[in-house]
C-alpha cells in the first residue's frame, strides 16, 4: 500500500472517533503544545530537567484551562540534546525529529487501544531519554496490517501481559509512568503508528535524524490521522 493510500486508510479509521485516553475527555479539553526548537518560550526553560519541563507543561495546560496537551509529530526538538543516546553532535545524523504524537497528562493515567489488536511485543527500554516501558500492538483491519506503539508507560503495564494477547477497541492496555521509570520525562504517552516493524521487538525509533527522515515519515505517518485532535 502506498503511503498516500495508507494515510487515507488511517484517516477513514479516524472518522470512527478513536481514542487512547479516557473517551470522556472532550476534544475541547486538549490543547496543542509546541516543544520545537523554534518555540522562543522554551529558551528560558531548562528542558533537560524533567521537573522543570513538567512545570512548564503543567502551567501551560492550566493556563489554557485544558486537561491534556498534545503534539510533536515531525517536531524538531532540543530536549534530546541531554542524552548521548540521541545526540552525536552531527546535524545530519543527530536524532532530534519526533515521529510520534505526545499526549501530556499525569502519571497513572489509563491508556486504551484505539482499535482491536494484539500484543506484538513489549519491553522496558531503559536508556536515558528512551521510552521506558513500551507496548507495541499489531492491528489487522480489512487485510491491512500495521502497528501502534505506546511509550513511557508504568512498570506495572508490562508485568502481566504476553505476546499475542488480544485487546478490543477501547480496552485499557496500560497506564502512564512517572519520570523515574519513563526515560526521565514529565508523564506523557508517546503514541506512534508504524507500517513496517523491520524486525524490531518492544522498541522502534521514535526520533529520527534529518538524513533518515524521508524513510521514517513514510513508515510512521501522523498518528493524529487516527485520533483527530
Amino acid at each position: 500500500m502506498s503511503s498516500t493510500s495508507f494515510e487515507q486508510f488511517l484517516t477513514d479509521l479516524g472518522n470512527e472517533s478513536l481514542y487512547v485516553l479516557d473517551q470522556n475527555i472532550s476534544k475541547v479539553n486538549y490543547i496543542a503544545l509546541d516543544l520545537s526548537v523554534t518555540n522562543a518560550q522554551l529558551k528560558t526553560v531548562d528542558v533537560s530537567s524533567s521537573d522543570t519541563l513538567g512545570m512548564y507543561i503543567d502551567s501551560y495546560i492550566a493556563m489554557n484551562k485544558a486537561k491534556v496537551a498534545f503534539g510533536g509529530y515531525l517536531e524538531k526538538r532540543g530536549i534530546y540534546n541531554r542524552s548521548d543516546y540521541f545526540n552525536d553532535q552531527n546535524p545530519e545524523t543527530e536524532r532530534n525529529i519526533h515521529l510520534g504524537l505526545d499526549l501530556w497528562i499525569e502519571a497513572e493515567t489509563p491508556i486504551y487501544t484505539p482499535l482491536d489488536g494484539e500484543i506484538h511485543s513489549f519491553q522496558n527500554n531503559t536508556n536515558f531519554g528512551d521510552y521506558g516501558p513500551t507496548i507495541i500492538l499489531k492491528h489487522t483491519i480489512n487485510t491491512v496490517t500495521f502497528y501502534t506503539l505506546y511509550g513511557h508507560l508504568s512498570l506495572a503495564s508490562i508485568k502481566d501481559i504476553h505476546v499475542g494477547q488480544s485487546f478490543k477497541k477501547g480496552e485499557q492496555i496500560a497506564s502512564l509512568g512517572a519520570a523515574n521509570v519513563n526515560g526521565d520525562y514529565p508523564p506523557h504517552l508517546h503514541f506512534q503508528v508504524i507500517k513496517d516493524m523491520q524486525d524490531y521487538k518492544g522498541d522502534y525509533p521514535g526520533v529520527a535524524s534529518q538524513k533518515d527522515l524521508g524513510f521514517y515519515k513514510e513508515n510512521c505517518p501522523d498518528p493524529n490521522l487516527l485520533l483527530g485532535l
Side-chain angles (χ1 to χ4, degrees):
M1 178 180 284
S2 70
S3 58
T4 303
S5 298
F6 185 58
E7 288 182 359
Q8 185 60 55
F9 171 76
L10 295 176
T11 301
D12 292 343
L13 290 177
N15 289 332
E16 300 174 17
S17 187
L18 307 181
Y19 57 92
V20 291
L21 300 180
D22 186 341
Q23 64 177 327
N24 294 314
I25 302 176
S26 169
K27 288 183 180 179
V28 300
N29 293 127
Y30 286 73
I31 184 71
L33 173 67
D34 178 6
L35 292 180
S36 72
V37 294
T38 59
N39 182 353
Q41 288 185 342
L42 290 180
K43 296 189 186 308
T44 62
V45 177
D46 179 8
V47 296
S48 68
S49 164
S50 58
D51 288 339
T52 304
L53 181 60
M55 286 189 288
Y56 172 81
I57 293 170
D58 288 345
S59 65
Y60 180 83
I61 291 172
M63 181 179 64
N64 286 281
K65 297 181 171 59
K67 294 181 178 179
V68 186
F70 75 95
Y73 180 65
L74 299 188
E75 201 169 65
K76 185 175 182 180
R77 292 175 168 178
I79 61 176
Y80 307 116
N81 292 346
R82 63 188 183 145
S83 173
D84 292 338
Y85 184 61
F86 298 101
N87 185 14
D88 66 3
Q89 306 298 327
N90 184 325
E92 279 298 304
T93 56
E94 177 186 352
R95 294 169 56 211
N96 58 10
I97 303 172
H98 191 249
L99 298 172
L101 179 75
D102 283 338
L103 299 136
W104 303 86
I105 192 170
E106 60 266 16
E108 300 303 326
T109 294
I111 303 301
Y112 305 89
T113 174
L115 299 159
D116 291 356
E118 65 178 51
I119 294 179
H120 167 271
S121 52
F122 60 94
Q123 71 180 23
N124 190 4
N125 296 290
T126 57
N127 290 301
F128 180 61
D130 208 335
Y131 292 128
T134 307
I135 295 174
I136 297 171
L137 297 184
K138 176 182 178 181
H139 310 276
T140 301
I141 299 172
N142 298 334
T143 73
V144 178
T145 296
F146 64 100
Y147 305 85
T148 51
L149 181 150
Y150 307 79
H152 310 299
L153 306 176
S154 66
L155 285 171
S157 298
I158 59 172
K159 185 176 180 184
D160 295 312
I161 59 176
H162 61 268
V163 171
Q165 182 174 346
S166 295
F167 290 94
K168 290 293 185 183
K169 173 185 173 181
E171 193 173 349
Q172 183 176 348
I173 59 168
S175 59
L176 286 186
N180 64 326
V181 299
N182 78 356
D184 192 43
Y185 293 99
H188 72 288
L189 175 69
H190 175 101
F191 176 60
Q192 186 167 332
V193 176
I194 305 163
K195 284 171 67 177
D196 178 5
M197 280 299 300
Q198 300 178 274
D199 297 325
Y200 280 91
K201 291 183 178 177
D203 189 18
Y204 191 84
V207 184
S209 66
Q210 186 63 50
K211 179 174 70 70
D212 296 329
L213 183 59
F215 168 79
Y216 283 113
K217 185 177 178 181
E218 181 168 339
N219 200 44
C220 302
D222 188 353
N224 206 26
L225 295 173
L226 284 179
L227 301 185
L229 299 176

